[in-house]
Amino acid sequence: MTAVPEPVLLAVDLVILTLREGRLNVLLIERQEDPYGGSWALPGGFVGHDEDIADAAHRVLAEEADLGSQAVHLEQVQVFAAPGRDPRGRVVSVTSMALGADLPDPRRGSEVADARWWPVADHAGIRLAFDHEHMLEVAVEQARTQLEHSALALSFLPEKFTISQLRGVYESVWGTMLDPGNFHRKVTRTTDFVIELDEHAAPTGGRPARLYRAGDGSALFPPLLRSE
């Protein structure tokens, strides 16, 4: 007799990252219901029968941790489908990542007990629900890798920024200090990465820093490698 296949449910989970006070933060929600009621987790939920995955991701974010009118761009990270990852049955999760510049405090939705930004480096003592710890690790590593080869770092910055601010993004996401002079030379010589403006930042006691804006390039050549 042919075995009846187990029903498979489709879910979305979101890794939302931003910089707050110079530190890489992730948006976490405190679950209100079982399984894992009272535990912290990534925002997530099931995809509706007639719902597109991207639409489901935006709906879940609005329901669990609304960020107001701030636009959040989502890009897929990975599909997580290990058997037993969810005690409710066979659940396949399409996990997406979003990065934003100075995203606001979330407004907790009615579906969760709490929602807040949490420094990625400080959440180690918190056990995340399901396999969300692994999801977070995969997404952060993807962000770190993309910073080497793409203009992703500019997603964390305002329209006009200084090279010091740009360096701060790399240092925060990579978790390492970079030589200011060497970094300045690399980014200003990278084709179509940043465009120098005839403007300066507000003085802070020293020589005002030059302002830049994003260039037209999406891929960095040469790349900015962590190992250099």
Side-chain angles (χ1 to χ4, degrees), residues 40-76:
W40 289 93
L42 299 170
F46 291 108
V47 178
H49 179 69
D50 296 320
E51 193 173 31
D52 179 80
I53 289 177
D55 292 338
H58 285 284
R59 172 184 57 78
V60 166
L61 180 58
E63 291 176 350
E64 295 194 347
D66 189 11
L67 295 174
S69 60
Q70 181 81 38
V72 176
H73 168 71
L74 299 174
E75 61 177 75
Q76 186 172 322

Side-chain angles (χ1 to χ4, degrees), residues 148 174 186 224-228:
E148 296 182 321
W174 284 351
K186 285 183 178 180
L224 300 173
L225 302 179
R226 281 174 280 181
S227 57
E228 293 183 354

Side-chain angles (χ1 to χ4, degrees), residues 33-120:
E33 300 178 352
D34 289 329
Y36 300 104
S39 297
W40 289 93
L42 299 170
F46 291 108
V47 178
H49 179 69
D50 296 320
E51 193 173 31
D52 179 80
I53 289 177
D55 292 338
H58 285 284
R59 172 184 57 78
V60 166
L61 180 58
E63 291 176 350
E64 295 194 347
D66 189 11
L67 295 174
S69 60
Q70 181 81 38
V72 176
H73 168 71
L74 299 174
E75 61 177 75
Q76 186 172 322
V77 174
Q78 187 173 308
V79 174
F80 292 82
R85 61 171 300 275
D86 191 314
R88 293 168 293 188
R90 189 65 191 272
V91 179
V92 174
S93 174
V94 179
T95 302
S96 297
M97 173 181 67
L99 303 97
D102 193 26
L103 294 177
D105 289 329
R107 293 197 293 267
R108 177 184 64 83
S110 61
E111 304 292 322
V112 301
D114 197 2
R116 68 177 69 171
W117 292 107
W118 210 288
V120 171

Side-chain angles (χ1 to χ4, degrees), residues 28 38-41 116 118-119 122-129 133:
L28 298 179
S39 297
W40 289 93
R116 68 177 69 171
W118 210 288
D122 292 349
H123 86 286
I126 305 172
R127 181 177 175 82
L128 298 185
E133 185 68 37

Side-chain angles (χ1 to χ4, degrees), residues 6-217:
E6 180 183 3
V8 177
L9 298 174
L10 183 62
V12 291
D13 288 294
L14 312 175
V15 182
I16 313 296
L17 301 171
T18 193
L19 293 182
R20 296 174 70 84
E21 298 180 353
R23 305 181 72 189
L24 184 64
N25 278 241
V26 61
L27 181 60
L28 298 179
I29 57 98
E30 185 180 6
R31 290 181 58 82
Q32 195 161 252
E33 300 178 352
D34 289 329
Y36 300 104
S39 297
W40 289 93
L42 299 170
F46 291 108
V47 178
H49 179 69
D50 296 320
E51 193 173 31
D52 179 80
I53 289 177
D55 292 338
H58 285 284
R59 172 184 57 78
V60 166
L61 180 58
E63 291 176 350
E64 295 194 347
D66 189 11
L67 295 174
S69 60
Q70 181 81 38
V72 176
H73 168 71
L74 299 174
E75 61 177 75
Q76 186 172 322
V77 174
Q78 187 173 308
V79 174
F80 292 82
R85 61 171 300 275
D86 191 314
R88 293 168 293 188
R90 189 65 191 272
V91 179
V92 174
S93 174
V94 179
T95 302
S96 297
M97 173 181 67
L99 303 97
D102 193 26
L103 294 177
D105 289 329
R107 293 197 293 267
R108 177 184 64 83
S110 61
E111 304 292 322
V112 301
D114 197 2
R116 68 177 69 171
W117 292 107
W118 210 288
V120 171
D122 292 349
H123 86 286
I126 305 172
R127 181 177 175 82
L128 298 185
F130 306 102
D131 53 355
H132 289 187
E133 185 68 37
H134 181 46
M135 287 183 181
L136 177 58
E137 291 174 354
V138 170
V140 169
E141 181 56 32
Q142 178 169 311
R144 288 170 174 162
T145 300
Q146 287 188 13
L147 255 62
E148 296 182 321
H149 302 279
S150 76
L152 186 68
L154 302 178
S155 300
F156 287 106
L157 294 171
E159 182 180 356
K160 298 177 183 180
F161 53 86
T162 67
I163 297 299
S164 177
Q165 288 175 304
L166 178 59
R167 188 180 76 251
V169 172
Y170 280 86
E171 291 178 338
S172 298
V173 178
W174 284 351
T176 186
M177 300 301 293
L178 302 173
D179 179 80
N182 191 35
F183 180 82
H184 190 284
R185 286 190 295 274
K186 285 183 178 180
V187 298
T188 54
R189 294 176 183 176
T190 300
T191 305
D192 293 328
F193 186 21
V194 296
I195 304 298
E196 185 176 355
L197 302 175
D198 190 22
E199 300 179 50
H200 292 83
T204 57
R207 182 179 178 183
R210 178 77 67 173
L211 288 173
Y212 292 76
R213 66 167 177 84
D216 297 328

